[in-house]
Amino acid sequence: MPKKIIFMGTPLFAVPILKSLYQNGYPVSVVYTQPPQRSNRGQKINKSPVQGISETLNIDFRSPESLKNNDQEYEFIKNLNADLAIVVAYGQIIPKHFLNLTKKGFINIHGSILPKWRGAAPIQRSIMNLDTETGISIMKISEELDSGPVSNIYKIKLNQNDNLEEVSEKLSLLAAEKILDNVDNIFENKAEFKEQDHLNATYAKKILKIEGQINWKDDASKIIGKINGLFPTPGAYFNFNGERYKILRAEIGNGVGKIGEVLSDNLEIACGNNQSIKILEIQRQGKKPQKIGEFLLGSRIRKGLTVSNA
């Protein structure tokens, strides 16, 4: 069993993995996570989910603004003399000179089937691209983003109605299970890391809020992919009478009409290629999420009207 492990992670996705290491007796000496962020109006400071679980488990944590040009953190990690660093959606670039500070290097749990979807938003991009499968890759961190050699890939199927929240939870629980064997193999020198096929690499760029705006000219399946890939945040939306409506859940319908036209009193909207979507759950700007039946009781969006197009 290794003597010291460093864990680096920030979002909820990383929490089950850290808990799994802790609960199974793997010695996490310190956790690195992003510093607390102020809410939009600055009234509240929000700790990262990983900081929260670190405090609950009484694991020491550190939250520097950046590791770049940070001699203090470099010296801290160097003096820790750790055996391995495990990185899960940390949210910061780890400088090259840090990567030699542990005996077995830095490994990353990445939420895609590498070399597909390197980058910041692999799960979102996979769903939005209508991929039929995704997974996690256990890789060594190298200087170039998500390009290091891979030891293991674990896959799951993607269904048409799977959204970001659901897929993230599945992958996180899968990673929490599989990381244990991978750590054992690394410390027993049984892990084999193989070079990626760099020619087939694709990049999952960061999600911008504006990407959530629905273009009703798109096919229904593409719109569904956007709704699912951006749920719960930042969300896919359309505008009507100057207000924003976020679509939380929808399915492909069978109606036909003018692009952006409301085809029924159940809020079925016409898309491109003579297709439509049926909205199942929606959130009006500044309001709580509602099932479509409840929403329609007070809605002015009626059959025959047209919602805005991107």
Side-chain angles (χ1 to χ4, degrees):
M1 181 68 69
K3 294 180 180 178
K4 293 179 181 178
I5 291 175
I6 299 169
F7 186 90
M8 294 179 158
T10 295
L12 187 62
F13 181 86
V15 168
I17 301 163
L18 176 56
K19 286 177 65 177
S20 177
L21 290 165
Y22 174 86
Q23 291 170 350
N24 286 281
Y26 290 76
V28 178
S29 297
V30 67
V31 167
Y32 275 79
T33 189
Q34 293 276 49
Q37 302 293 314
R38 287 193 177 274
S39 58
N40 289 337
R41 297 183 181 179
Q43 300 299 315
K44 185 179 179 182
I45 296 179
N46 301 305
K47 302 174 184 177
S48 79
V50 165
Q51 179 178 333
I53 192 62
S54 298
E55 291 175 341
T56 299
L57 300 177
N58 199 28
I59 303 174
D60 290 338
F61 71 90
R62 299 171 75 87
S63 52
E65 291 285 346
S66 175
L67 294 178
K68 186 178 181 181
N69 301 320
N70 194 327
D71 293 337
Q72 180 180 352
E73 296 304 332
Y74 178 86
E75 290 299 322
F76 177 85
I77 294 177
K78 180 180 178 181
N79 292 333
L80 192 63
N81 195 29
D83 296 274
L84 178 68
I86 300 171
V87 182
V88 189
Y90 177 40
Q92 288 193 31
I93 298 295
I94 300 170
K96 181 181 178 181
H97 62 292
F98 276 68
L99 299 179
N100 295 319
L101 293 180
T102 67
K103 298 167 188 173
K104 298 290 186 179
F106 283 61
I107 64 167
N108 181 35
I109 302 175
H110 184 73
S112 82
I113 302 171
L114 289 171
K116 192 171 187 180
W117 301 128
R118 297 175 180 176
I123 305 174
Q124 294 96 320
R125 296 296 176 192
S126 184
I127 296 171
M128 293 168 71
N129 193 56
L130 306 179
D131 292 349
T132 57
E133 64 178 7
T134 187
I136 55 168
S137 299
I138 313 293
M139 56 165 282
K140 275 192 176 180
I141 295 180
S142 60
E143 187 174 8
E144 188 177 341
L145 181 67
D146 298 331
S147 65
V150 174
S151 63
N152 282 303
I153 293 175
Y154 306 96
K155 300 179 181 180
I156 65 169
K157 290 184 178 180
L158 282 178
N159 301 311
Q160 188 180 62
N161 294 321
D162 288 341
N163 63 38
L164 172 62
E165 185 174 66
E166 294 161 346
V167 175
S168 295
E169 183 178 5
K170 288 179 185 177
L171 292 180
S172 179
L173 294 175
L174 178 62
E177 173 192 348
K178 298 299 184 182
I179 189 58
L180 305 178
D181 286 341
N182 279 270
V183 170
D184 289 344
N185 286 339
I186 288 169
F187 281 96
E188 294 168 9
N189 295 317
K190 294 178 181 178
E192 295 184 18
F193 288 87
K194 297 181 180 179
E195 194 76 8
Q196 295 183 40
D197 181 358
H198 301 294
L199 294 178
N200 285 323
T202 58
Y203 181 63
K205 64 181 180 180
K206 182 180 178 180
I207 298 291
L208 303 176
K209 285 186 178 180
I210 190 63
E211 291 185 73
Q213 186 166 8
I214 292 171
N215 186 338
W216 296 106
K217 295 178 182 177
D218 287 337
D219 292 355
S221 58
K222 185 173 181 180
I223 293 174
I224 294 292
K226 175 174 286 192
I227 293 166
N228 289 333
L230 300 181
F231 177 87
T233 183
Y237 65 88
F238 65 90
N239 295 310
F240 180 78
N241 282 355
E243 285 191 297
R244 178 172 295 187
Y245 292 80
K246 186 186 290 188
I247 302 177
L248 308 180
R249 294 185 185 272
E251 63 185 12
I252 294 177
N254 53 19
V256 176
K258 183 176 65 176
I259 288 173
E261 180 185 359
V262 181
L263 301 176
S264 75
D265 291 330
N266 292 320
L267 208 50
E268 183 172 356
I269 301 177
C271 312
N273 202 23
N274 290 322
Q275 297 177 328
S276 67
I277 69 163
K278 295 168 66 176
I279 298 175
L280 304 177
E281 191 171 349
I282 194 168
Q283 184 175 12
R284 184 179 176 183
Q285 187 174 343
K287 304 295 183 179
K288 66 180 182 179
Q290 292 179 300
K291 302 291 186 182
I292 197 62
E294 179 187 6
F295 171 80
L296 289 170
L297 293 176
S299 173
R300 296 181 180 178
I301 306 177
R302 297 298 183 188
K303 181 179 177 180
L305 297 177
T306 300
V307 297
S308 69
N309 191 46

